[in-house]
Short mmCIF file of all heavy atoms in Angstrom, two decimals:
data_model
loop_
_atom_site.label_atom_id
_atom_site.label_comp_id
_atom_site.label_asym_id
_atom_site.label_seq_id
_atom_site.Cartn_x
_atom_site.Cartn_y
_atom_site.Cartn_z
N TRP A 45 -12.04 -20.60 39.88
CA TRP A 45 -12.76 -21.83 39.52
C TRP A 45 -11.81 -22.92 39.07
O TRP A 45 -12.22 -24.14 39.06
CB TRP A 45 -13.86 -21.56 38.55
CG TRP A 45 -15.03 -20.83 39.15
CD1 TRP A 45 -15.11 -20.36 40.43
CD2 TRP A 45 -16.24 -20.48 38.49
NE1 TRP A 45 -16.34 -19.69 40.68
CE2 TRP A 45 -17.06 -19.79 39.53
CE3 TRP A 45 -16.83 -20.78 37.27
CZ2 TRP A 45 -18.33 -19.38 39.18
CZ3 TRP A 45 -18.07 -20.33 37.01
CH2 TRP A 45 -18.86 -19.63 37.97
N TRP A 49 -7.39 -27.35 40.02
CA TRP A 49 -7.48 -28.44 39.08
C TRP A 49 -6.06 -28.69 38.42
O TRP A 49 -5.41 -27.71 37.97
CB TRP A 49 -8.48 -28.10 37.97
CG TRP A 49 -9.90 -28.15 38.38
CD1 TRP A 49 -10.42 -28.76 39.52
CD2 TRP A 49 -11.02 -27.40 37.78
NE1 TRP A 49 -11.77 -28.45 39.59
CE2 TRP A 49 -12.14 -27.64 38.59
CE3 TRP A 49 -11.09 -26.59 36.70
CZ2 TRP A 49 -13.37 -27.14 38.23
CZ3 TRP A 49 -12.29 -26.04 36.37
CH2 TRP A 49 -13.49 -26.32 37.13
N GLU A 269 -17.75 -18.91 44.92
CA GLU A 269 -17.34 -20.26 45.24
C GLU A 269 -18.50 -21.20 45.21
O GLU A 269 -18.99 -21.74 46.21
CB GLU A 269 -16.73 -20.26 46.70
CG GLU A 269 -15.42 -19.44 46.74
CD GLU A 269 -14.82 -19.51 48.16
OE1 GLU A 269 -15.25 -20.18 49.02
OE2 GLU A 269 -13.77 -18.84 48.33
N PRO A 270 -18.98 -21.59 44.02
CA PRO A 270 -20.13 -22.50 43.90
C PRO A 270 -19.74 -23.89 44.24
O PRO A 270 -18.56 -24.29 44.14
CB PRO A 270 -20.48 -22.45 42.38
CG PRO A 270 -19.20 -22.04 41.74
CD PRO A 270 -18.49 -21.16 42.71
N THR A 271 -20.67 -24.61 44.69
CA THR A 271 -20.43 -26.10 45.07
C THR A 271 -19.98 -26.96 43.93
O THR A 271 -19.08 -27.75 44.00
CB THR A 271 -21.62 -26.67 45.78
OG1 THR A 271 -22.03 -25.88 46.89
CG2 THR A 271 -21.37 -28.14 46.20
N ASP A 272 -20.65 -26.68 42.78
CA ASP A 272 -20.37 -27.45 41.54
C ASP A 272 -19.88 -26.39 40.51
O ASP A 272 -20.66 -25.73 39.90
CB ASP A 272 -21.63 -28.14 41.07
CG ASP A 272 -21.40 -29.08 39.95
OD1 ASP A 272 -20.36 -28.83 39.24
OD2 ASP A 272 -22.17 -29.95 39.65
N ARG A 273 -18.55 -26.32 40.39
CA ARG A 273 -18.00 -25.34 39.42
C ARG A 273 -18.29 -25.68 38.00
O ARG A 273 -18.46 -24.84 37.09
CB ARG A 273 -16.52 -25.17 39.63
CG ARG A 273 -16.20 -24.29 40.91
CD ARG A 273 -14.74 -24.31 41.23
NE ARG A 273 -14.44 -25.56 41.93
CZ ARG A 273 -13.10 -25.94 42.16
NH1 ARG A 273 -12.13 -25.30 41.67
NH2 ARG A 273 -12.88 -27.05 42.78
N VAL A 274 -18.37 -27.00 37.67
CA VAL A 274 -18.64 -27.40 36.34
C VAL A 274 -20.00 -26.94 35.94
O VAL A 274 -20.28 -26.38 34.77
CB VAL A 274 -18.50 -28.90 36.11
CG1 VAL A 274 -19.02 -29.41 34.76
CG2 VAL A 274 -16.97 -29.25 36.22
N ALA A 275 -20.99 -27.18 36.81
CA ALA A 275 -22.35 -26.67 36.54
C ALA A 275 -22.45 -25.20 36.49
O ALA A 275 -23.09 -24.65 35.62
CB ALA A 275 -23.33 -27.22 37.68
N ALA A 276 -21.70 -24.45 37.27
CA ALA A 276 -21.58 -23.09 37.23
C ALA A 276 -21.04 -22.50 35.96
O ALA A 276 -21.50 -21.50 35.40
CB ALA A 276 -20.79 -22.55 38.48
N MET A 277 -20.03 -23.22 35.42
CA MET A 277 -19.42 -22.82 34.15
C MET A 277 -20.49 -23.00 33.05
O MET A 277 -20.64 -22.09 32.10
CB MET A 277 -18.19 -23.65 33.77
CG MET A 277 -17.07 -23.26 34.69
SD MET A 277 -15.67 -24.52 34.76
CE MET A 277 -15.10 -24.39 32.99
N LYS A 278 -21.26 -24.06 33.05
CA LYS A 278 -22.25 -24.31 32.08
C LYS A 278 -23.34 -23.20 32.18
O LYS A 278 -23.87 -22.68 31.10
CB LYS A 278 -22.89 -25.66 32.24
CG LYS A 278 -21.99 -26.87 31.91
CD LYS A 278 -22.71 -28.15 32.18
CE LYS A 278 -21.78 -29.31 31.86
NZ LYS A 278 -22.51 -30.63 32.12
#
Side-chain angles (χ1 to χ4, degrees):
W45 287 5
W49 291 337
E269 297 182 0
T271 302
D272 187 339
R273 283 172 281 168
V274 169
M277 289 164 67
K278 291 179 180 178

